[in-house]
Amino acid sequence: MSIHTEFLTQVKKDCLQDNKGCIGYLSIQVPEEIIIAAGKIPFRVFGRGRPVKLANAYLPKTFDPYILDSLEGALDGSYAFLDGTVIANTSDAHRRLYDVWRLAAGPMRTFFLDVPKSANALGLKAFRLALSFFVKDIEKTLGLKISEEGLRDAMRLCNKTRFLLRELSEARKGLCPPFSGKEFFEIIRWSQTSDKQRVNEIVEEYCKKWRNTGNDIVQPKDAECGVCGPRILLTGSFMGSPDLIALIERLGAVVVYEDLCTGAQYFSSCVEEDSEEALDALARRYLSLPQARMVDTEARWNYLLQMVNDYHVDGVIYFALKFDDIHLFEYPHIRNKFQRAGYPVLYIEAENFLTTSGQIETRVQAFIEMLE
Amino acid sequence: MAVGETDRKKQRQYFSQQFQNRMRRPRSYPPLGASQARERTVYKLFMESFRDTSAVIWKSTFVPSEIIYALGAVPLYIESFSAVASAVDICPAMLDASEKHGFSRDSCSFLRGVLGASLKGMLPRPDALVSSSYYCDGDPKIFDIFAEKYKKPHFYLQVPFMTDEEWSLDIVAEQLEEITVELARATGRVFSREKLSEIINNSNEACRYFQQAMELRKNVPSPMLGCEAIDYIGSISQLWGSRDFVRISRHLCEELEERVEKGAAAVENEQFRLLWCHLRPYYNDEVFHYLEFQHRAVVAFENINLITWEDMDPQRPFQSLAKKLLTNSGIGSYERMTQWIASLVRDYTIDGVIWMAPWGCRHFNSLSQLVKDGLRKEVDVPFFILDLECIDKRNYSKEQVRTRLDAFIEVLEGRK
Ligand code: SF4
Ligand code: SF4
């Protein structure tokens, strides 16, 4: 078995580990460091990808499908293994989910975190206050104390994960991306739902092995990996499964960068470890994520432009979840910018988990043919 | 209409012409003097915003107009442009323009309307923009897009969900102060605390009258049509702090007092008293007329004409404005909204609640079922969720809406 296949098999196996002592969270603005410092494993809720029934009793159908999907999981017991869930005020849908989750999700504890949309001095101050409130709430509810030292250790642990994932991602800048977009998505999903210590060990071991082969970059799994079509940057809404990526790649392109909160945004930057106060550093890092929800569209655009350059992208696919207002409103604006910069853009609006939709397939195919 | 971005004069003429057309439309009820004054004031405000010499600050609902008046600038509650446009029937073209540009039809039509109006060059160019985290995600996002288009600064006000925490109040107050100072810088205006105190006093005065008017509307039979009363909200959002609004609310109060004294009823032989939640369809009055005149079901109150705050301290303007803002029941948990609706049902002797649920409004629609269920534990009142658009008349079907309203009224009749 090649180093590469061995690694992917290990990731798959590790995903199936029994998740005990987890605290769930939905948005990447929730600092995992705080959950780890409280002695728990942060578990990103990705939704279950099955039809929604129970959730419709609480929230309208014209609502963020990811939120409905996650709520369904809370109602049907899929997340009963969690010791609690953190819901952050990252959108209208998330903050309403907080209402329903604490009302209907059974005995599970529900925590809340307010997250401003602006990263200026007062935005940071507001977020810092919200973080203190969140820490106190966790301490009170779980009956423990989160120490500064514990936070520092967690910061180092999470930074290491980010560093390693970035290293893997950057290997995709080259001509022969070592992972397909689908594989990479699975790696990121695993890293957000598993014990960080273990994640770090497995990824580090893999990196060490391929470095030992004397190569600069990760080698493709074999000479005929079949991922050498047009290079795509995928951006937009939350994506809980790699189905769309798989479809794109099945049709002959390769997703080399996913600017998604379940993709590269997760590890896009590190927390300053030597900052005087841990919570200040966390506030700065988590508020600087280049997300569409923030009011600094210019900063987000500069980041995206950098990524299409760095990853030698040929075309952009913008994915918007139905009823996700932030992305529905952002799309035409970002599309124009990409087009002005010379990048073709394909827009796809769909439900959370892509059901085989012929129409989408035809459009993706036409787009890829145009890029070839 | 082809006008350049900076051509406020042509925009002004166009807007004026549309507004005059609207004023000439036959009305099915004689409006109160205060309501006519309110319409004229809003018209004047829009006309001001089209003047080259005006400093125009685009704001979303929650941004207190007081800080803008304190700078001598014009507060333009930009979503209300969509409402006015819908009323004069120029909205379809605006919506078409936004959809052609790629904005989804599933999103809020107020915001899409404004985006379309901007694409068609109909909006008075802003000198600065201020958005806030409430009520919805769409608002700050489109303000950011506008800021780039018009090359003007965009300030953002973060209103926390946890309204009862002490730090929430402080952080809102601090932001308001900073935003005010920044707005002064951006518009080249001078900020004076004395002026702001004076403006706060205006708000307090108007608030006392408006609260009195709210009290008078508790009278059975109701002295005012809901169809007329609901239009106050758009003005309120941009008139707090102005002398005009003091006059309007005093006038409203006097007129309602007189009507109550005389026993004048807005709807003769009033049969039912309704509470209306959310805004209204702006493209016609049919729904209100059908309820109020055909079914004699008066809309006795609306959840949005809300004053939930107490007198502000003019010596501590930013803290007071923050407090005023945070008392709004639309912020925070669904329980706050439920309690607010329950109190209105009790205070206004309400027989039924109509909860209007426009397709694209995530903020409000997500409350529908939660409030409906929560309310059941508080008061015994039928609750009807009515899917209806505020701005976009393209899917409106008079017959369908009537059938649904008939069914609701039947429920109310069954309880008599
Ligand atoms: S098929 Fe060849 S060129 Fe394409 S990614 Fe694989 S190894 Fe590289
Ligand atoms: S109607 Fe709803 S979505 Fe539209 S601007 Fe108002 S709160 Fe936002």
Side-chain angles (χ1 to χ4, degrees):
Chain A
M1 205 189 292
S2 72
I3 303 171
H4 185 83
T5 321
E6 195 188 335
F7 169 58
L8 291 174
T9 315
Q10 210 172 351
V11 168
K12 206 169 261 169
K13 209 170 91 201
D14 197 73
C15 280
L16 305 173
Q17 295 260 344
D18 180 16
N19 275 311
K20 282 219 176 73
C22 290
I23 296 267
Y25 70 101
L26 283 89
S27 316
I28 52 163
Q29 280 86 0
V30 174
E32 290 183 306
E33 287 85 344
I34 295 176
I35 299 174
I36 294 170
K40 301 283 178 187
I41 297 171
F43 178 93
R44 180 90 186 268
V45 172
F46 274 76
R48 315 127 42 260
R50 292 198 295 274
V52 164
K53 283 190 210 114
L54 305 169
N56 292 334
Y58 298 93
L59 292 170
K61 290 192 175 118
T62 54
F63 211 57
D64 183 335
Y66 164 50
I67 293 300
L68 292 178
D69 190 14
S70 304
L71 175 60
E72 188 75 12
L75 298 174
D76 72 10
S78 300
Y79 302 128
F81 65 91
L82 295 175
D83 289 348
T85 310
V86 191
I87 297 177
N89 185 2
T90 50
S91 78
D92 296 343
H94 282 260
R95 67 183 174 218
R96 192 60 68 217
L97 179 70
Y98 171 67
D99 276 339
V100 188
W101 203 284
R102 68 193 158 80
L103 181 81
M108 194 196 300
R109 290 139 175 165
T110 313
F111 303 97
F112 185 78
L113 177 66
D114 237 322
V115 192
K117 292 183 190 217
S118 125
N120 63 13
L122 278 178
L124 279 168
K125 186 173 175 185
F127 191 40
R128 174 69 173 76
L129 287 164
L131 285 176
S132 312
F133 175 84
F134 171 50
V135 167
K136 280 193 203 114
D137 192 17
I138 287 214
E139 288 180 332
K140 203 171 128 210
T141 316
L142 302 183
L144 46 83
K145 191 93 196 108
I146 292 177
S147 68
E148 178 77 16
E149 210 28 59
L151 276 177
R152 297 271 171 198
D153 288 344
M155 277 158 59
R156 280 188 285 271
L157 186 69
C158 293
N159 270 354
K160 186 159 186 186
T161 313
R162 291 171 189 130
F163 176 82
L164 289 167
L165 293 175
R166 215 153 61 190
E167 202 171 351
L168 295 189
S169 177
E170 285 182 359
R172 301 186 295 174
K173 287 180 180 172
L175 191 64
C176 304
F179 306 102
S180 69
K182 181 174 182 286
E183 286 166 347
F184 199 76
F185 184 93
E186 304 281 18
I187 296 169
I188 304 301
R189 182 158 67 179
W190 159 69
S191 69
Q192 291 185 66
T193 47
S194 303
D195 180 10
K196 291 282 176 278
Q197 199 80 50
R198 229 169 42 225
V199 169
N200 290 355
E201 279 164 18
I202 294 173
V203 181
E204 203 168 28
E205 180 65 20
Y206 168 65
C207 292
K208 214 183 277 168
K209 278 185 186 161
W210 66 252
R211 262 192 230 107
N212 283 345
T213 64
N215 290 303
D216 287 350
I217 59 154
V218 188
Q219 280 300 289
K221 52 188 171 180
D222 54 46
E224 284 300 311
C225 70
V227 290
C228 65
R231 300 167 65 91
I232 303 289
L233 177 136
L234 181 63
T235 182
S237 298
F238 173 91
M239 199 176 274
S241 94
D243 290 354
L244 177 61
I245 301 177
L247 174 75
I248 296 167
E249 298 191 327
R250 182 160 58 76
L251 295 171
V254 53
V255 174
V256 290
Y257 196 76
E258 43 311 274
D259 165 59
L260 303 169
C261 67
T262 49
Q265 285 175 7
Y266 174 64
F267 55 84
S268 59
S269 60
C270 285
V271 178
E272 308 146 43
E273 289 176 14
D274 50 4
S275 157
E276 241 171 58
E277 262 224 66
L279 284 188
D280 284 340
L282 290 177
R284 275 195 296 276
R285 189 268 165 178
Y286 281 89
L287 222 47
S288 67
L289 297 176
Q291 289 212 295
R293 68 177 291 277
M294 300 301 282
V295 288
D296 196 346
T297 310
E298 201 47 41
R300 174 162 160 74
W301 167 243
N302 290 334
Y303 154 80
L304 285 172
L305 193 59
Q306 180 79 46
M307 292 307 123
V308 284
N309 282 325
D310 289 358
Y311 281 79
H312 312 289
V313 163
D314 300 308
V316 173
I317 297 187
Y318 194 108
F319 167 76
L321 275 180
K322 259 180 136 18
F323 312 116
D324 169 359
D325 291 327
I326 291 173
H327 291 93
L328 293 182
F329 281 117
E330 183 195 66
Y331 161 66
H333 189 63
I334 289 289
R335 173 204 59 201
N336 289 353
K337 284 173 176 287
F338 271 126
Q339 285 176 344
R340 274 198 295 269
Y343 294 94
V345 182
L346 174 72
Y347 177 61
I348 291 176
E349 196 178 317
E351 298 281 338
N352 189 12
F353 291 86
L354 197 77
T355 43
T356 6
S357 156
Q359 209 205 354
I360 291 178
E361 183 159 342
T362 315
R363 294 182 54 228
V364 172
Q365 190 155 25
F367 184 67
I368 294 173
E369 277 164 17
M370 190 258 293
L371 294 177
E372 271 164 352
Chain B
M1 191 188 60
V3 292
E5 261 175 46
T6 52
D7 199 347
R8 284 185 179 174
K9 201 170 161 195
K10 274 192 211 154
Q11 292 167 330
R12 190 165 188 261
Q13 278 166 357
Y14 180 74
F15 181 81
S16 171
Q17 188 194 341
Q18 301 304 325
F19 198 87
Q20 301 301 333
N21 292 348
R22 172 168 160 79
M23 298 307 275
R24 277 196 290 273
R25 264 196 337 194
R27 293 183 196 249
S28 50
Y29 64 89
L32 296 173
S35 305
Q36 292 176 43
R38 185 195 58 76
E39 278 186 11
R40 282 194 301 273
T41 306
V42 173
Y43 171 64
K44 209 174 75 188
L45 185 112
F46 269 106
M47 295 302 276
E48 272 304 303
S49 71
F50 288 114
R51 239 180 249 291
D52 276 333
T53 49
S54 300
V56 179
I57 296 171
W58 288 15
K59 70 169 211 81
S60 46
T61 329
F62 260 79
V63 177
S65 49
E66 286 91 340
I67 60 172
I68 300 173
Y69 282 118
L71 300 174
V74 182
L76 198 66
Y77 169 31
I78 202 66
E79 287 96 305
S80 72
F81 188 90
S82 288
V84 174
S86 181
V88 299
D89 209 18
I90 54 170
C91 220
M94 288 159 38
L95 293 169
D96 279 350
S98 74
E99 283 152 25
K100 273 203 196 92
H101 194 73
F103 292 108
S104 165
R105 237 181 126 151
D106 286 329
S107 56
C108 167
S109 52
F110 281 99
L111 304 181
R112 262 185 298 133
V114 180
L115 286 161
S118 168
L119 288 166
K120 290 177 81 64
M122 290 154 83
L123 296 175
R125 173 179 39 83
D127 293 290
L129 306 93
V130 195
S131 69
S132 66
S133 53
Y134 270 98
Y135 285 123
C136 59
D137 290 332
D139 217 63
K141 194 76 223 164
I142 72 163
F143 271 53
D144 214 35
I145 293 171
F146 285 140
E148 197 180 314
K149 170 174 176 176
Y150 293 103
K151 298 187 177 48
K152 295 293 173 190
H154 169 204
F155 306 101
Y156 166 77
L157 173 68
Q158 170 71 21
V159 182
F161 180 91
M162 296 290 180
T163 49
D164 298 334
E165 297 297 313
E166 183 119 1
W167 55 268
S168 297
L169 185 74
D170 292 340
I171 198 77
V172 173
E174 238 180 288
Q175 291 178 84
L176 285 174
E177 180 156 8
E178 187 181 273
I179 289 171
T180 310
V181 172
E182 289 298 327
L183 283 176
R185 194 170 301 154
T187 55
R189 309 263 149 164
V190 179
F191 165 61
S192 104
R193 280 191 170 261
E194 292 69 52
K195 180 76 183 160
L196 183 57
S197 300
E198 193 186 301
I199 299 284
I200 295 279
N201 278 327
N202 288 345
S203 273
N204 282 341
E205 204 182 336
C207 174
R208 276 176 235 130
Y209 287 121
F210 205 81
Q211 265 170 335
Q212 237 170 300
M214 278 169 54
E215 268 312 297
L216 288 159
R217 291 186 63 201
K218 288 179 182 165
N219 191 72
V220 182
S222 176
M224 188 176 188
L225 285 172
C227 183
E228 184 173 4
I230 199 165
D231 283 337
Y232 277 73
I233 181 63
S235 341
I236 288 178
S237 174
Q238 49 200 347
L239 293 180
W240 280 122
S242 68
R243 278 317 292 170
D244 283 328
F245 196 52
V246 177
R247 278 189 287 275
I248 293 166
S249 33
R250 182 171 52 215
H251 195 169
L252 177 66
C253 193
E254 286 163 359
E255 282 181 294
L256 292 185
E257 231 158 27
E258 198 187 322
R259 289 180 65 87
V260 169
E261 259 168 41
K262 285 186 182 152
V267 167
E268 247 175 81
N269 190 19
E270 179 181 294
Q271 292 297 305
F272 303 107
R273 296 172 63 79
L274 304 176
L275 177 73
W276 184 277
C277 302
H278 204 276
L279 296 160
R280 56 165 293 178
Y282 287 93
Y283 37 86
N284 66 43
D285 288 340
E286 279 173 12
V287 177
F288 276 81
H289 283 192
Y290 190 60
L291 286 169
E292 299 197 301
F293 296 128
Q294 298 278 116
H295 282 297
R296 311 213 164 273
V298 73
V299 173
F301 206 66
E302 315 78 30
N303 81 321
I304 44 148
N305 268 325
L306 71 176
I307 293 184
T308 42
W309 43 280
E310 308 192 335
D311 256 15
M312 291 184 280
D313 178 356
Q315 298 317 314
R316 305 186 70 212
F318 295 110
Q319 283 281 331
S320 302
L321 286 170
K323 214 168 173 178
K324 171 188 170 192
L325 208 152
L326 289 172
T327 59
N328 189 304
S329 53
I331 307 177
S333 70
Y334 84 96
E335 285 98 336
R336 266 168 69 106
M337 179 57 87
T338 310
Q339 291 305 326
W340 165 247
I341 301 289
S343 71
L344 293 178
V345 168
R346 290 187 201 104
D347 293 351
Y348 287 83
T349 339
I350 295 297
D351 300 306
V353 177
I354 295 191
W355 184 273
M356 180 176 157
W359 179 263
C361 180
R362 246 58 78 190
H363 165 73
F364 205 71
N365 290 1
S366 61
L367 282 167
S368 309
Q369 203 54 46
L370 291 169
V371 173
K372 184 177 179 175
D373 293 343
L375 208 57
R376 226 175 266 144
K377 292 175 208 132
E378 300 284 331
V379 282
D380 175 28
V381 67
F383 188 101
F384 178 57
I385 301 171
L386 176 66
D387 305 317
L388 196 60
E389 242 306 312
C390 293
I391 297 298
D392 190 352
K393 67 169 188 181
R394 290 172 297 181
N395 285 337
Y396 172 75
S397 152
K398 182 173 163 179
E399 293 317 316
Q400 253 175 38
V401 175
R402 283 189 173 203
T403 312
R404 303 198 63 208
L405 292 176
D406 289 345
F408 182 59
I409 295 290
E410 251 175 59
V411 172
L412 299 185
E413 275 163 355
R415 289 166 57 95
K416 274 257 157 170

